[in-house]
Amino acid sequence: MTTPSLVPGRVAELLGPLPDDRPAYRALADGLRLLVADGRIATGTRLPSERDLTGALGVSRTTVTRAYAALRESGYVTARQGSGTVATLPTGRRGLGTGAVLYPAEVPDDVIDLTCAATRAPAGTAEAYERALAALPSYLAGAGYLTLGVPELREAIADRYTQRGAPTSADQILVTSGAVAGLASVTRALLGIGDRVLVESPGYPNSADALHRGGLRLAPVTVDPTGWDTPTVASAIAAANARAFLTIPDFHNPTGALMPDEQRAAVAHALKRAGTTPLVDETIAEIALDDRPAPRPFAAHHAGAISVGSSSKTHWGGLRTGWIRAPHKVIPALLDSRATLDLGAPVLEQLVLVELMRTTPGITATRRAELTASRDAAGTALRAALPDVRFVVPPGGLSLWLELPWTRADEVAAAAEDEGLLIAGGPRFAVGGGLGRWVRLPYVLSPETMTEAVRRLTTAVNRVREAETASGGGRQTTTRRRRGPLVA
Ligand SMILES: Cc1ncc(COP(=O)(O)O)c(C=O)c1O
């Protein structure tokens, strides 16, 4: 693997204007440290040479030399022979995002649980179960092992891809027990221990962890709150020599960013050149909230793409039904691998999904209106109560990705728990560490509950802020340990 690099102009853009309240070298070192700690400059990325950065920032060479020296000393960069200055994290702050699996927990009624970016079942789900039950008897005569999936569902999923702009036939679809299960089958079929996989950071922790536990080596690619920076992604792809790139181009979890068609084409081009297979997680693809033309599925830009999808967010997580869409030639290997994990998804749930897709292939208009109202209620409450917490209103998806004014996300999440609000801090979404300044706020509950959630969050943020001021800014402020596992 060569080392991915950032061009000087991009570093200048990420840094923004340097504050003039401290020596210039300190301001530069602080800015770069924050970007690395936050995961906005991925660990393992080469920073520009001193000379190039001097030119891009319009500062003196000594400023850059001293800033790099300070960063080396504090462990935020290392000087590597032949690789220049490379972003790292100090020992003890690495490894977040692997082993950070999120899963549901029981919570008392007065606690607002926003660890899970998923909604209750939409109206009409129970009726779909009834209709599916009526269709079930024709399957009862068989053994019920449909390892590729119920044929009508494979047809319906293929048709949906075709409608969305990626012509697909049913024999390219393998039904799974959800997207994570699909990804596990893909990983086992196509990747081997020690293979390198590029993974977005922030990204969905359970998938990153599945890859990590499968013995793969993960290399992070940064996703900004507004989306992907094409040269940065292309450089990471070219440098990593990775077997695969795991991406969530549609309403990315947790940022909500949507990769436009032109960018999909550019990323697909870089992947083809590098011989890296796109693994595309489309779990959230149908959660568009704004009226704008949807980009085509990533597979429309890259014939070799392997996509995993799911009914969990579009319809209901309890269906436990998802799929893999892959080129024909890959299906037999996927089938072999899947047959050693489980032998098929439950028939009844697949029939329910056929029913649901027949009436509404994407989310229902009601669900869309509800999510939009909840997103907007959360946004309005945040702007009023926490004006220095920044966020981009995403065009879809299920969460706001909040940037705190300081690196205290885990403390804020712990303080929020004391206030009866469960949320996940940024480090849970990081690959290779960082993201300590971010918090994910899923807008999956009613507007009133979201407003109350922001009220509790505000109390938590202010508590951490006050404790920080009282301690002079240096100390950890919350001693209470976060309780165990949180959710998807
Ligand atoms: C990006 C992404 N992929 C996969 C999943 C899980 O999907 P499934 O329930 O189909 O396994 C989630 C759920 O949070 C998700 O956000």
Side-chain angles (χ1 to χ4, degrees):
M1 158 156 170
T2 56
T3 311
S5 53
L6 274 180
V7 295
R10 175 69 182 153
V11 175
E13 191 181 303
L14 286 168
L15 279 168
L18 293 177
D20 56 9
D21 58 354
R22 61 200 102 160
Y25 88 89
R26 185 40 55 210
L28 176 57
D30 287 349
L32 288 171
R33 183 172 45 74
L34 212 55
L35 288 169
V36 176
D38 258 3
R40 304 209 36 212
I41 293 180
T43 50
T45 304
R46 181 177 38 232
L47 300 182
S49 70
E50 288 179 12
R51 200 187 52 193
D52 289 351
L53 193 57
T54 301
L57 296 178
V59 295
S60 76
R61 176 74 176 260
T62 321
T63 298
V64 180
T65 307
R66 290 188 68 192
Y68 275 10
L71 290 168
R72 272 197 304 278
E73 219 163 87
S74 54
Y76 283 91
V77 300
T78 49
R80 285 192 200 153
Q81 194 72 37
S83 299
T85 302
V86 175
T88 54
L89 281 170
T91 320
R93 301 193 59 179
R94 298 198 185 112
L96 298 163
T98 50
V101 173
L102 303 178
Y103 55 91
E106 294 286 323
V107 297
D109 283 351
D110 58 346
V111 170
I112 301 177
D113 185 359
L114 287 177
T115 52
C116 192
T119 49
R120 62 182 165 73
T125 307
E127 289 80 352
Y129 265 90
E130 276 165 19
R131 292 196 300 276
L133 213 46
L136 185 65
S138 63
Y139 284 89
L140 296 179
Y145 287 95
L146 296 161
T147 310
L148 281 163
V150 165
E152 295 98 301
L153 181 58
R154 298 175 72 204
E155 274 306 332
I157 294 167
D159 288 352
R160 186 65 182 156
Y161 273 103
T162 305
Q163 276 165 18
R164 291 175 51 222
T168 303
S169 61
D171 51 9
Q172 288 179 265
I173 304 294
L174 195 159
V175 178
T176 62
S177 304
V180 168
L183 189 66
S185 291
V186 172
T187 307
R188 286 169 56 136
L190 304 178
L191 302 169
I193 290 176
D195 281 349
R196 181 174 285 107
V197 180
L198 279 166
V199 181
E200 291 166 345
S201 184
Y204 177 57
N206 293 8
S207 301
D209 205 57
L211 299 175
H212 178 68
R213 287 175 194 222
L216 301 163
R217 288 180 297 155
L218 310 189
V221 178
T222 307
V223 182
D224 286 332
T226 46
W228 298 256
D229 177 62
T230 306
T232 304
V233 177
S235 161
I237 291 169
N241 194 19
R243 290 284 306 281
F245 171 39
L246 177 63
T247 179
I248 312 171
D250 305 281
F251 311 119
H252 174 264
N253 186 3
T255 65
L258 178 64
M259 192 186 284
D261 261 316
E262 317 76 69
Q263 198 169 37
R264 289 174 196 235
V267 173
H269 180 68
L271 290 167
K272 284 176 204 160
R273 279 181 57 164
T276 301
T277 302
L279 301 183
V280 189
D281 183 339
E282 300 185 316
T283 301
I284 321 174
E286 301 270 9
I287 316 292
L289 300 182
D290 290 351
D291 284 318
R292 60 167 82 178
R296 289 185 297 152
F298 199 91
H301 299 279
H302 193 306
I306 299 184
S307 311
V308 294
S310 175
S311 58
S312 290
K313 309 290 164 149
T314 315
H315 297 99
W316 185 44
L319 285 167
R320 303 309 320 135
T321 305
W323 58 87
I324 305 171
R325 177 207 185 273
H328 289 102
K329 63 174 194 282
V330 183
I331 293 288
L334 293 175
L335 191 58
D336 279 356
S337 126
R338 192 264 167 80
T340 60
L341 286 170
D342 65 6
L343 291 170
V347 172
L348 180 62
E349 266 68 16
Q350 294 187 62
L351 295 175
V352 174
L353 186 53
V354 170
E355 292 297 329
L356 289 169
M357 289 184 75
R358 197 165 278 154
T359 34
T360 341
I363 50 167
T364 62
T366 311
R367 172 54 44 93
R368 190 171 183 231
E370 285 169 356
L371 282 171
T372 307
S374 295
R375 177 192 68 180
D376 296 348
T380 305
L382 280 164
R383 276 187 284 268
L386 291 169
D388 58 355
V389 167
R390 295 194 298 181
F391 59 94
V392 175
V393 178
L398 296 158
S399 42
L400 296 176
W401 184 231
L402 308 181
E403 184 180 4
L404 304 173
W406 19 240
T407 308
R408 290 281 191 270
D410 281 338
E411 287 172 63
V412 167
E417 189 177 332
D418 291 341
E419 301 303 321
L421 169 66
L422 303 184
I423 43 167
R428 293 209 149 197
F429 303 88
V431 172
L435 300 177
R437 212 140 66 103
W438 303 81
V439 164
R440 184 185 74 166
L441 189 74
Y443 42 81
V444 290
L445 301 176
S446 70
E448 298 72 34
T449 310
M450 292 311 302
T451 306
E452 171 60 17
V454 171
R455 195 194 62 71
R456 295 182 190 189
L457 179 65
T458 305
T459 310
V461 168
N462 289 338
R463 258 183 54 198
V464 174
R465 198 194 307 266
E466 280 157 24
E468 198 203 13
T469 311
S471 73
R475 272 192 303 121
Q476 289 268 318
T477 50
T478 311
T479 48
R480 195 171 183 279
R481 256 185 68 73
R482 297 214 65 191
R483 61 138 162 238
L486 297 177
V487 182

